[in-house]
Amino acid sequence: MKKILLSLSCVALVFACGATEVPSQNKNNQPFETKSGYWQQHVDYQMEIDMDVNTFQYKGKQKLVYTNNSPDVLNRVYYHLYFNAFQPGSEMDVRSRTIADADPRVGDRISKLQPNEIGYIKVNSLKQNGTTINHETVGTVLEVQLSRPIRPGEKVTFDMDFNAQVPVQIRRSGRNNKEGVALSMTQWYPKLAEYDDEGWHADPYIGREFHGVWGDFDVKLTIDKDYVVGGTGYVQSETKAKKGKKTIHFKAPKVHDFTWAADPDFIHDTFEMPNGPKLHFYYKKDLEPKYLENWKKLQPDTAKLMDFFSENIGEYPYDQYSVIQGGDGGMEYAMCTLITGQRSYGSLLGVTAHELAHTWFQFLLATNEAKHEWMDEGFTSYISNLAENELSTEKSENPQSGSYRGYIALANSGYEQPLTTHADRYAYNQVYGAAAYSKGAVFMAQLGYVIGEDNLKKTIKKYFNDFAFKHPKPMDFIRTAERITDFELDWYLIDFGQTTNTIDYAVKSIEGDSITLERIGLMPMPIDLSVTYTDGTTEEFYIPLQMMRGEKPTSATIINDWAWAMPAYTFEAKKAVKAVEIDSSQMMADVKRENNTLTLE
């Protein structure tokens, strides 16, 4: 088993390390039009935070206005208290010490934290519309019993006092990371859990990512005057406070998270893009010269990446974006990313491309990452692979080839779990990585094989245009592709996105001008076929999948449909055949490519 898992590690560990018109509601904060019957909750935060950079403790006051746009009466609400994961005996700690292939950044480190090193968020008081309400902290979740139910359409104000401690840097958040960044403040505040048509999503913080409620943030951060701060939101003002501190006032419209990082030794560069946004870069001034040079070189390339994503997905809707040295690898947040900075330039550009792409396939198309992690990580991997290839001087014919290798290794390993698996329920971290990143990217790339590349490009843009600032699900994406093409594509989502069925087609025989193919795997696909005749000429054929009810645009010769239940398919070519190859583009994720080709002696 260890050998099989190692074959996946090159893919999983790489990622273990975020123009169509944008809906106008983000610019003027007006309600957006939705599909019939669609609703989503709304929350606005006002927070005042006082950080002690010596003890790494902070005090917070939070006023939260919650709008119940659902048709349901809510009797309880839940908050995430992510920092509580960084305590001995937490679910994150125990899971890391019991899973077969623990993330080396976590390992058993949480179990060894001392009281002054742990993370915590302690809620001291909580009121609903001025009335004190009962609450209980259960691990990383605050369970709140309301004084009175929240009716459909009702707004409720929650006032909270809390105090917290920043943990030693272990996973994403923390103090004094391995590169010396003082504060990586991600998932650091009491965050109201999402409620949608599937109910509450108060998932414990065990290892994966998050799901959040759209809203506006107004944050006043008081911190040591020598600290340079960057992150989510626009700075409204910066004023001197008492005892050597300053207060920075941020506002962030229409986001579902708020992140910041701070260090007294940050360099802060800006890069103006001709048509916006303004790019910000925060990195340590004591980096080695080669790393400092990389951070300078990164700035115009980040602008190129921003242009690529805006052109190929949809326009970036905010006025700024920040790339910040911090964290423990690379992780996306609203209007910013935290990445480690002591890297080769190729690695620095690669992690920036991936995390910046998450702005579209997570922070604007905000899928539930616990349930549909592959729509977040996989779609991001797909588009960032294209972007990196666009910037490269040595272009690859297939920028997705690494993702295909990762998925095929997973499919043949015997350890694959379906993409419907909850992100925390994978038996192995490496299986999660190969599924979410590699198979998720292949889902998108292979759809281009199924419906045609031009149709895929149109699908991505329409998907963004229709679902930005919402919480799309897998069916929303596949229905978008159906609307673009007028094909039936539910089979593709079912087989590739909800099962571990595999694609395996083979050339069974060649007899004169007669060719017989066979379907061995359970998953159906249309077939691109290359035929070489005995006289040296070649011809391309296309065999439509009957249940797809249509054919992609192609210059190949279209022949009769292949019905899935028929295991074999025979047709007559124009003349004597020498060789046949299924899918010469290798954009179909066939798990046994050696039987895709047959050549007569």
Side-chain angles (χ1 to χ4, degrees):
M1 179 172 67
K2 183 180 292 185
K3 183 176 180 181
I4 293 173
L5 288 174
L6 284 174
S7 71
L8 305 178
S9 63
C10 63
V11 175
L13 292 180
V14 165
F15 294 110
C17 14
T20 305
E21 183 180 358
V22 177
S24 61
Q25 79 282 0
N26 186 59
K27 297 176 181 178
N28 56 28
N29 205 29
Q30 296 300 309
F32 47 76
E33 294 182 3
T34 63
K35 60 186 180 181
S36 178
Y38 178 81
W39 55 266
Q40 64 185 26
Q41 306 293 66
H42 184 87
V43 62
D44 292 328
Y45 291 85
Q46 289 184 7
M47 292 188 283
E48 295 181 3
I49 308 299
D50 190 351
M51 168 64 72
D52 186 330
V53 298
N54 297 309
T55 64
F56 299 103
Q57 295 177 354
Y58 55 102
K59 298 177 181 179
K61 293 182 182 295
Q62 181 188 88
K63 181 182 291 291
L64 187 157
V65 178
Y66 183 59
T67 305
N68 180 16
N69 290 319
S70 82
D72 305 323
V73 175
L74 305 181
N75 296 304
R76 308 182 81 190
V77 299
Y78 302 88
Y79 289 76
H80 297 285
L81 306 175
Y82 293 110
F83 271 8
N84 290 355
F86 301 101
Q87 299 174 10
S90 71
E91 287 193 75
M92 182 184 285
D93 171 36
V94 173
R95 178 61 170 163
S96 181
R97 289 187 286 112
T98 55
I99 195 169
D101 60 336
D103 185 327
R105 292 167 298 190
V106 182
D108 63 354
R109 293 175 63 204
I110 296 176
S111 69
K112 298 176 180 178
L113 292 177
Q114 300 302 308
N116 66 336
E117 297 175 324
I118 66 170
Y120 61 74
I121 299 176
K122 297 179 180 178
V123 177
N124 301 317
S125 67
L126 182 60
K127 296 179 179 180
Q128 175 188 353
N129 291 338
T131 300
T132 298
I133 51 179
N134 294 324
H135 54 87
E136 181 182 4
T137 297
V138 181
T140 59
V141 175
L142 185 74
E143 300 178 350
V144 180
Q145 185 65 49
L146 300 175
S147 61
R148 57 181 297 274
I150 308 174
R151 302 289 176 182
E154 185 178 2
K155 290 181 183 288
V156 173
T157 299
F158 294 103
D159 290 287
M160 178 190 293
D161 284 350
F162 67 95
N163 62 285
Q165 178 169 283
V166 186
V168 170
Q169 176 77 50
I170 290 179
R171 189 70 185 96
R172 300 192 177 108
S173 305
R175 69 204 206 214
N176 301 326
N177 81 342
K178 66 180 182 180
E179 296 181 349
V181 176
L183 292 167
S184 298
M185 298 298 288
T186 67
Q187 297 163 258
W188 58 276
Y189 61 93
K191 180 177 180 179
L192 198 70
E194 178 66 284
Y195 182 86
D196 60 20
D197 63 334
E198 297 177 347
W200 284 105
H201 299 280
D203 294 306
Y205 186 29
I206 297 174
R208 303 305 176 201
E209 294 159 33
F210 46 83
H211 190 32
V213 189
W214 290 103
D216 299 336
F217 285 75
D218 186 317
V219 180
K220 292 179 179 178
L221 170 64
T222 299
I223 194 170
D224 185 284
K225 64 181 178 61
D226 294 327
Y227 274 59
V228 179
V229 181
T232 306
Y234 310 122
V235 175
Q236 306 298 299
S237 63
E238 183 172 317
T239 59
K240 293 182 179 179
K242 298 177 180 179
K243 299 180 181 179
K245 288 187 173 183
K246 62 184 177 183
T247 298
I248 309 172
H249 183 195
F250 297 91
K251 286 189 176 180
K254 200 66 179 175
V255 293
H256 54 89
D257 192 40
F258 190 96
T259 289
W260 57 280
D263 192 277
D265 295 324
F266 268 157
I267 295 172
H268 177 200
D269 290 339
T270 59
F271 188 94
E272 294 278 0
M273 296 182 63
N275 299 311
K278 178 185 282 189
L279 303 179
H280 296 257
F281 299 85
Y282 298 85
Y283 54 99
K284 297 275 285 184
K285 65 184 180 182
D286 58 358
L287 288 172
E288 294 180 33
K290 62 180 179 180
Y291 297 133
L292 289 173
E293 182 181 349
N294 287 346
W295 276 86
K296 295 292 186 182
K297 184 180 178 182
L298 179 67
Q299 296 172 26
D301 280 349
T302 302
K304 294 176 184 176
L305 291 169
M306 180 68 75
D307 282 338
F308 182 90
F309 297 136
S310 287
E311 180 181 348
N312 289 279
I313 311 172
E315 183 184 351
Y316 180 77
Y318 306 106
D319 294 333
Q320 72 180 44
Y321 186 85
S322 299
V323 181
I324 307 171
Q325 184 183 357
D328 63 348
M331 182 62 194
E332 72 279 1
Y333 298 99
M335 300 168 66
C336 67
T337 181
L338 268 62
I339 61 176
T340 48
Q342 296 177 1
R343 301 167 175 264
S344 68
Y345 185 69
S347 177
L348 188 67
L349 179 63
V351 72
T352 302
H354 184 84
E355 306 309 338
L356 177 57
H358 271 300
T359 289
W360 283 264
F361 286 122
Q362 178 49 26
F363 276 95
L364 293 172
L365 292 161
T367 56
N368 182 345
E369 294 177 88
K371 293 188 66 176
H372 312 301
E373 60 277 3
W374 58 277
M375 294 181 71
D376 164 44
E377 296 295 355
F379 290 7
T380 292
S381 297
Y382 167 83
I383 203 71
S384 61
N385 288 342
L386 293 182
E388 286 185 73
N389 194 57
E390 181 70 17
L391 267 62
S392 176
T393 55
E394 299 180 4
K395 300 290 191 291
S396 169
E397 289 188 12
N398 181 8
Q400 313 299 337
S401 60
S403 296
Y404 277 80
R405 288 193 298 272
Y407 160 65
I408 290 171
L410 171 67
N412 289 321
S413 71
Y415 294 98
E416 183 184 6
Q417 294 172 248
L419 293 181
T420 52
T421 303
H422 188 286
D424 284 316
R425 309 289 196 274
Y426 283 86
Y428 301 95
N429 279 321
Q430 291 173 44
V431 170
Y432 162 83
Y437 292 82
S438 297
K439 189 175 184 180
V442 172
F443 183 99
M444 181 79 87
Q446 185 175 243
L447 184 61
Y449 167 87
V450 172
I451 67 176
E453 287 298 323
D454 286 344
N455 282 332
L456 176 60
K457 291 176 182 178
K458 293 175 184 176
T459 295
I460 292 171
K461 289 186 175 183
K462 182 168 176 55
Y463 174 59
F464 178 81
N465 189 60
D466 289 352
F467 292 100
F469 299 103
K470 302 178 188 178
H471 297 288
K473 301 176 183 180
M475 186 54 73
D476 294 318
F477 179 74
I478 212 68
R479 288 289 291 131
T480 301
E482 288 184 333
R483 292 184 181 102
I484 289 293
T485 61
D486 208 24
F487 299 159
E488 184 175 338
L489 297 169
D490 59 338
W491 59 272
Y492 184 71
L493 175 61
I494 291 168
D495 278 78
F496 206 69
Q498 299 174 356
T499 76
T500 56
N501 292 346
T502 57
I503 302 165
D504 183 11
Y505 282 86
V507 183
K508 185 174 184 180
S509 65
I510 301 171
E511 296 180 6
D513 61 356
S514 180
I515 300 169
T516 298
L517 312 178
E518 62 179 335
R519 176 187 56 76
I520 301 170
L522 284 174
M523 181 168 173
M525 286 291 282
I527 299 298
D528 289 347
L529 199 68
S530 300
V531 174
T532 301
Y533 296 113
T534 55
D535 63 6
T537 59
T538 61
E539 186 172 5
E540 301 295 320
F541 291 90
Y542 173 67
I543 307 174
L545 177 65
Q546 189 177 90
M547 67 175 69
M548 190 168 128
R549 312 300 172 194
E551 300 87 32
K552 69 179 177 181
T554 180
S555 59
T557 301
I558 301 175
I559 51 180
N560 291 335
D561 293 353
W562 188 344
W564 172 82
M566 310 303 180
Y569 180 97
T570 300
F571 77 100
E572 307 296 324
K574 295 178 180 178
K575 47 192 170 183
V577 174
K578 179 181 181 181
V580 175
E581 181 178 8
I582 296 172
D583 179 33
S584 60
S585 70
Q586 299 193 15
M587 293 302 290
M588 185 174 75
D590 195 305
V591 299
K592 191 177 180 182
R593 296 210 65 89
E594 55 267 29
N595 61 19
N596 285 22
T597 304
L598 180 62
T599 303
L600 297 181
E601 294 291 339

